[in-house]
Amino acid sequence: MSVLVRIPTPLRPLAGGQSELSEEGQSVKEILDNLISRFPAMRERMMDESGELRRFINIYVNEEDIRFREGVSTPLSSGDEVSIIPAIAGGA
Amino acid sequence: MTNESSAPVFFSRALYQSIVDHAHSVHPEECCGLVASDQTGTPVRVIPMTNILHSPVRYQMDPVEQFSVGKSLRLEGMSLWGIYHSHPISEPYPSVVDINLAYYPDVFYLLTSPVTTPPSLRIFQIKDSKVTEFPLILKEVD
């Protein structure tokens, strides 16, 4: 089953310059695993040392933050859009 | 450090004023927001965002707003040009926290501080933890 994955600008150089691509998977985790398998350099930017999604990486399925669903276990349907969005944060 | 060889960045005074006004309106909390560019790459819109931390020393953009604005810009054919925030009690230069959390190496980071008169606005890029400042030239007319 194929879903559309939107790649944010800062990660595009690690994904062959693509802004969106088609990926196979039944859940967000499968999508991320397949994405990292294709583009291994994305692992460090998206995952922490324990393999968990970095706190400052937000992932949306269609309009919904996966943290308000089932996290990376969130199931996907054909035609879903998965958006990867690095948080914008900082401070003095 | 300022890189004097960096090309100057032109920015409209109206956009500058929008950022300064936003910083003033939420002071002493840090403000944050986005600057969008049109299809020519010219910065044309300031989009104030909510700092969900409501802190004088930290900011994090509301992720729901961030997602929604990003989608709107994409549909309008606009691009993310810059990210701004304020340092209410310190100079407008990227902090260690700013540098560590700078996930967008190709956009400009604008920092303002309301403690100076007139309020200052400085512009940077942050790539691989390296800060490069650009001379900022305010234009009277868009």
Side-chain angles (χ1 to χ4, degrees):
Chain A
M1 187 189 59
S2 179
V3 302
L4 179 74
V5 182
R6 294 192 184 283
I7 308 296
T9 311
L11 296 184
R12 286 177 197 166
L14 309 179
Q18 299 176 88
S19 60
E20 54 186 50
L21 46 84
S22 181
E23 195 60 82
E24 298 289 327
Q26 304 289 328
S27 68
V28 171
K29 183 176 188 321
E30 286 185 22
I31 292 293
L32 295 179
D33 288 345
N34 290 337
L35 195 60
I36 288 170
S37 175
R38 284 169 70 184
F39 307 107
M42 293 183 79
R43 179 186 300 279
E44 186 190 343
R45 300 291 294 276
M46 296 186 59
M47 304 296 180
D48 64 20
E49 296 73 13
S50 59
E52 299 293 319
L53 193 63
R54 287 190 184 277
R55 179 177 155 223
F56 287 99
I57 296 288
N58 297 316
I59 294 186
Y60 286 75
V61 173
N62 302 321
E63 307 281 325
E64 208 168 3
D65 188 330
I66 63 168
R67 292 191 174 95
F68 298 114
R69 292 185 61 186
E70 298 169 49
V72 294
S73 299
T74 301
L76 297 172
S77 302
S78 183
D80 279 347
E81 291 185 10
V82 176
S83 301
I84 302 168
I85 304 180
I88 298 178
Chain B
M1 297 297 287
T2 299
N3 182 347
E4 295 299 341
S5 64
S6 299
V9 174
F10 294 89
F11 200 67
S12 86
R13 186 169 293 279
L15 296 182
Y16 158 83
Q17 194 61 50
S18 295
I19 292 174
V20 166
D21 288 349
H22 185 202
H24 181 74
S25 72
V26 300
H27 187 80
E29 294 179 5
E30 290 198 12
C31 76
C32 61
L34 303 174
V35 180
S37 60
D38 63 16
Q39 292 176 341
T40 70
T42 303
V44 293
R45 187 185 300 171
V46 164
I47 306 162
M49 306 285 279
T50 302
N51 173 8
I52 60 172
L53 302 181
H54 296 289
S55 161
V57 292
R58 290 284 185 274
Y59 81 95
Q60 183 172 346
M61 280 187 192
D62 183 326
V64 176
E65 284 180 17
Q66 188 187 335
F67 175 77
S68 173
V69 169
K71 184 175 181 181
S72 296
L73 294 180
R74 188 173 72 246
L75 294 175
E76 288 184 76
M78 302 180 79
S79 299
L80 175 61
W81 183 90
I83 296 165
Y84 72 85
H85 74 283
S86 61
H87 281 181
I89 53 176
S90 61
E91 67 168 317
Y93 190 86
S95 67
V96 171
V97 176
D98 290 330
I99 294 168
N100 288 341
L101 297 179
Y103 280 97
Y104 292 81
D106 296 321
V107 307
F108 291 105
Y109 284 84
L110 298 96
L111 278 83
T112 185
S113 175
V115 299
T116 61
T117 305
S120 53
L121 182 69
R122 294 169 69 179
I123 185 164
F124 309 87
Q125 282 192 321
I126 306 172
K127 293 184 182 182
D128 300 326
S129 300
K130 179 174 177 286
V131 177
T132 302
E133 183 167 12
F134 293 77
L136 184 68
I137 299 176
L138 293 180
K139 298 186 301 177
E140 294 300 331
V141 181
D142 288 337

